[in-house]
Amino acid sequence: MPPTDVIVVGGGVIGTAIAWRAARAGSTVVLIDPGHDDPLTSDKASLVAAGMLGPVSESVFGEQDLLALNLHAVDRFPAFNAELEQAAGQPTGLRAEGTLAVAYDSGDLAALDRLTDFRHSLGLVAERLDARECRRREPFLAPSIRGGVLAVGDLSIDNRRYLAALRKAAAAAGVRTVAGAVTQVGPGHVSTGGSVTSERHRTARQVVLAAGHATRLIDGVPPAVRRAIRPVKGQILRLRHPGTIPPVLTHTVRVIVQGRDLYLVPRADGELVVGATQEERADRDVTAGAVHDLLRDAAIAVPAVSELIFAEASAGLRPGTSDNGPILGPLDPAGRLVIAAGHFRNGILLSAVTADAVTAVLDGKEPHHAWLPFNPGRFT
């Protein structure tokens, strides 16, 4: 077996995208994935995401650096996805209808107006719509909807199809995926296993740590970086259309319902994703209260939701950070240990530009300038 050039730790969309691009660049790559043997029990945030690629509709006060990175990401994503679909030979479900953000009552509309004014001040394109125009675009919206905003540049993708395509493309490019939970990393080496007798050591020219929220549990990561990463629980629902009614939505719809945020993301196969809670917890339990609240607010905004088939409720752990920004860059002077973690709500959106940036770092080059605020040194 030839020597390994790159070990990638983490088999979600970030780690798999990095492994694929590194292999395409000519490196011999091993991907270590703790959920490889049993994907159904994996705690990857990628598997329970909604797949929204919405830098405009996701932009909030005080995160201009992250907005700049997300805009860079959405510009890059379609070309990256086209390469991926060709390499994998299967579709990912990319959609380009945009995001329609709507408000349920006058207080919600005032909050949406404040956000829209802020986005306009940054030069973002967000078209205000009155209630009638919102319902013309989405006829199943509740009559009580007061108005909304259309972000035409936002995209969405089927997260599970996207991850499946990344895995297939990575395998076709020669990436070797092995099961294992990494417990320790260092420049050019990793250890897996839970005890001294079962630990297995692997070496490579370079190691990329892309383990999501679990990065905080791995020895060898600088303590300040570990402390900056936190798990943020999200619960999400999947509904399916019965054959008797047409799809209830064509756009991704974000709703403010009496101060509560909700999104509904349609899929090409008729699935509708409803999410998501945001909880500072580290468990993956689906709770009755979360299911109730999501269904209640979804039915308030789009009453026809109550006619859909309940298909799935799931929970995952987003890799948050203390400043909500991702972490990317070398952890040692020689660049033999590189981190790409903490992508929080934007993992799928940032996967393409993260793969580009890490491939550049592995080659001794600087990543795109939008990454400059997000190097690991900001925590140390």
Side-chain angles (χ1 to χ4, degrees):
M1 186 175 297
T4 303
D5 295 320
V6 179
I7 294 173
V8 178
V9 180
V13 293
I14 298 296
T16 310
I18 292 168
W20 173 48
R21 301 306 283 190
R24 276 176 58 101
S27 295
T28 303
V29 182
V30 171
L31 176 64
I32 302 179
D33 179 5
H36 180 61
D37 286 341
D38 191 1
L40 294 179
T41 63
S42 170
D43 72 345
K44 296 178 183 64
S46 314
L47 295 175
V48 293
M52 293 184 299
L53 313 177
V56 176
S57 60
E58 286 270 345
S59 60
V60 296
F61 302 102
E63 294 186 355
Q64 281 88 328
D65 287 337
L66 182 58
L67 171 61
L69 179 61
N70 287 344
L71 290 172
H72 166 52
V74 81
D75 286 344
R76 170 73 174 109
F77 199 91
F80 179 92
N81 185 70
E83 289 183 57
L84 174 62
E85 289 185 327
Q86 183 175 17
Q90 61 191 58
T92 60
L94 183 66
R95 299 176 65 126
E97 292 88 352
T99 298
L100 179 63
V102 298
Y104 174 70
D105 62 23
S106 57
D108 298 330
L109 186 59
L112 182 59
D113 281 341
R114 288 192 294 272
L115 268 176
T116 303
D117 288 340
F118 165 70
R119 290 161 182 167
H120 285 167
S121 74
L122 299 177
L124 301 177
V125 178
E127 178 188 357
R128 279 190 169 94
L129 306 175
D130 62 21
R132 179 176 295 180
E133 181 62 20
C134 288
R135 283 191 291 275
R136 187 188 71 79
R137 293 172 184 266
E138 291 294 353
F140 285 98
L141 286 173
S144 53
I145 292 296
R146 300 296 299 273
V149 178
L150 180 63
V152 295
D154 284 2
L155 309 172
S156 70
I157 199 164
D158 188 319
N159 58 305
R160 295 181 178 179
R161 291 188 180 191
Y162 181 63
L163 180 56
L166 282 170
R167 287 172 170 165
K168 189 172 180 180
V175 174
R176 186 165 64 93
T177 302
V178 298
V182 170
T183 56
Q184 186 174 34
V185 296
H189 64 86
V190 304
S191 297
T192 59
S195 67
V196 173
T197 55
S198 67
E199 278 189 343
R200 184 173 181 182
H201 301 279
R202 296 180 180 271
T203 61
R205 178 169 52 85
Q206 291 166 297
V207 172
V208 179
L209 183 55
H213 74 90
T215 302
R216 76 194 194 284
L217 306 175
I218 299 176
D219 291 334
V221 180
V225 174
R226 292 177 66 174
R227 288 193 298 269
I229 297 172
R230 74 191 201 280
V232 181
K233 179 180 176 180
Q235 301 187 57
I236 199 166
L237 311 179
R238 283 178 163 77
L239 311 177
R240 297 196 181 279
H241 287 76
T244 55
I245 65 172
V248 299
L249 295 174
T250 56
H251 298 77
T252 294
V253 173
R254 299 184 68 96
V255 192
I256 307 175
V257 178
Q258 297 179 329
R260 301 181 299 271
D261 292 319
L262 179 82
Y263 56 73
L264 303 98
V265 186
R267 300 280 195 245
D269 63 359
E271 184 178 71
L272 185 68
V273 180
V274 180
T277 67
Q278 187 163 307
E279 308 162 50
E280 297 290 336
R281 298 173 59 91
D283 66 85
R284 295 178 57 225
D285 297 328
V286 175
T287 63
V291 173
H292 168 270
D293 291 349
L294 290 171
L295 287 176
R296 176 199 62 207
D297 290 343
I300 288 173
V302 185
V305 160
S306 61
E307 302 297 321
L308 303 186
I309 299 167
F310 187 92
E312 180 185 315
S314 55
L317 299 177
R318 307 179 188 95
T321 64
S322 55
D323 62 6
N324 290 338
I327 309 170
L328 188 144
L331 292 175
D332 70 307
R336 298 192 66 199
L337 177 60
V338 179
I339 187 171
H343 292 72
F344 196 23
R345 302 185 306 264
N346 300 302
I348 295 177
L349 170 62
L350 292 174
S351 57
V353 293
T354 298
D356 291 343
V358 171
T359 302
V361 171
L362 293 174
D363 201 29
K365 301 174 183 176
E366 291 292 327
H368 189 277
H369 61 80
W371 283 104
L372 289 177
F374 302 106
N375 68 81
R378 72 187 192 271
F379 298 116
T380 58

